[in-house]
Amino acid sequence: MKNSVFFGAMAFAGLAAGAASAGTLDDVKARGELNCGVATGLVGFAAPNAEGEWEGFDVSICRAVAAAVLGDATKVQFVPTTGKTRFTALASGEIDMLARNTTWTFSRDVDLKFDFIGVNYYDGQGFMVPKELGVSSAKELDGATVCVQTGTTTELNLADFFRINGISYEPVPVETNAESQQQYAAGTCDVLTTDASGLAASRTVFADPTAHVILPEIISKEPLGPLVRHGDNEWGDVVRWTLNALVAAEELGVTSANAEEMAAGTSNPEINRLLGSDGSLGAMLGVSDDWAKNAILAVGNYGEVFEANIGEETQIGLSRGLNAQWTDGGLMYSPPFR
């Protein structure tokens, strides 16, 4: 009797899990559109261009997933979210995934019941000040007013840093990147703090970017990446392996320019499996066999996405650093496609 109850419970749990995990992928296919949560506007990462089209590093992940699932990178509804609204939007089902410079933490993964499916940018929190302030270290900011976004890890890291260093500050709470930039530019706060990549992006919107200095201290680890709801394993696999496909493509030399040609077959079995000319990885995910090829053709490999949106030749001007491939001393690494 005990065993029958156990197996009955297991069967029910399996059915419930199956229903939950199949839901989002089926919903996206039926809807013919991906609902993707992004920032309200952060140049280089997620912001509408002059034509009103969303573009940026995080936006590219959304478009890659749409290309992988629907075969069309334009089939995305971008939903702007703030630090406060992003998690509610995901938990409620308003969005299918969140790709919004969001840090992977224990409580967000476990307590809020989300699955971070990988890291697309290894970052850390920093500080920006007007050059005329004459400050060369964050430890010289005693008594400063600091613009900080609410509902973020940035708030907690800020409090910890000042407490550890025995100095004080006055927080100026803001809701969005745009508000933080406006308040800082208006002189409402002496300091702007967020992820270092966000500071580099924010600096580009000021009248004279050279008048602002990003201080040398990086006070935290901020592994940023896309996330989905717990209990949606098949959907999590799709988003996870789409990101992995972009990372692996760079390592394997597959680009938006050569992916179509390579999809005809190469001497490298892993490239063939990745691009769908060998095996059935797409069927395992519940998508077409050319899913990864479609994603790469749409946005490029990871290196292409990085360089086009936030790399050294862009106005953001970020070097690869920790976000280089593992073969170049960085942390970017995809599990094998086999």
Side-chain angles (χ1 to χ4, degrees), residues 187-199:
T188 307
C189 52
D190 307 309
V191 184
L192 179 59
T193 186
T194 188
D195 299 334
S197 63
L199 294 177

Side-chain angles (χ1 to χ4, degrees), residues 150-301:
T150 55
T152 65
T153 56
T154 310
E155 285 185 299
L156 303 176
N157 296 333
L158 177 65
D160 288 348
F161 176 80
F162 275 79
R163 185 181 302 112
I164 289 169
N165 287 282
I167 53 180
S168 64
Y169 71 100
E170 181 182 341
V172 179
V174 294
E175 290 281 335
T176 66
N177 291 310
E179 186 184 354
S180 69
Q181 293 160 5
Q182 291 163 2
Q183 296 285 6
Y184 172 77
T188 307
C189 52
D190 307 309
V191 184
L192 179 59
T193 186
T194 188
D195 299 334
S197 63
L199 294 177
S202 292
R203 184 163 58 177
T204 67
V205 307
F206 299 135
D208 180 9
T210 63
H212 306 275
V213 178
I214 298 175
L215 299 177
E217 287 88 355
I218 298 296
I219 67 170
S220 67
K221 292 184 296 183
E222 306 293 331
L224 310 179
L227 54 155
V228 298
R229 290 176 290 277
H230 264 353
D232 211 337
N233 294 343
E234 267 102 348
W235 178 241
D237 287 343
V238 170
V239 180
R240 175 181 300 107
W241 284 97
T242 300
L243 174 58
N244 285 341
L246 303 186
V247 175
E250 182 184 18
E251 180 186 346
L252 295 168
V254 181
T255 70
S256 57
N258 66 24
E260 193 69 71
E261 179 183 354
M262 284 187 154
T266 73
S267 60
N268 186 323
E270 185 161 20
I271 293 177
N272 297 340
R273 289 190 293 268
L274 173 69
L275 297 180
S277 61
D278 184 30
S280 55
L281 300 188
M284 296 180 194
L285 281 179
V287 295
S288 64
D289 283 337
D290 59 358
W291 64 280
K293 182 192 77 171
N294 290 337
I296 296 162
L297 287 174
V299 304
N301 64 34

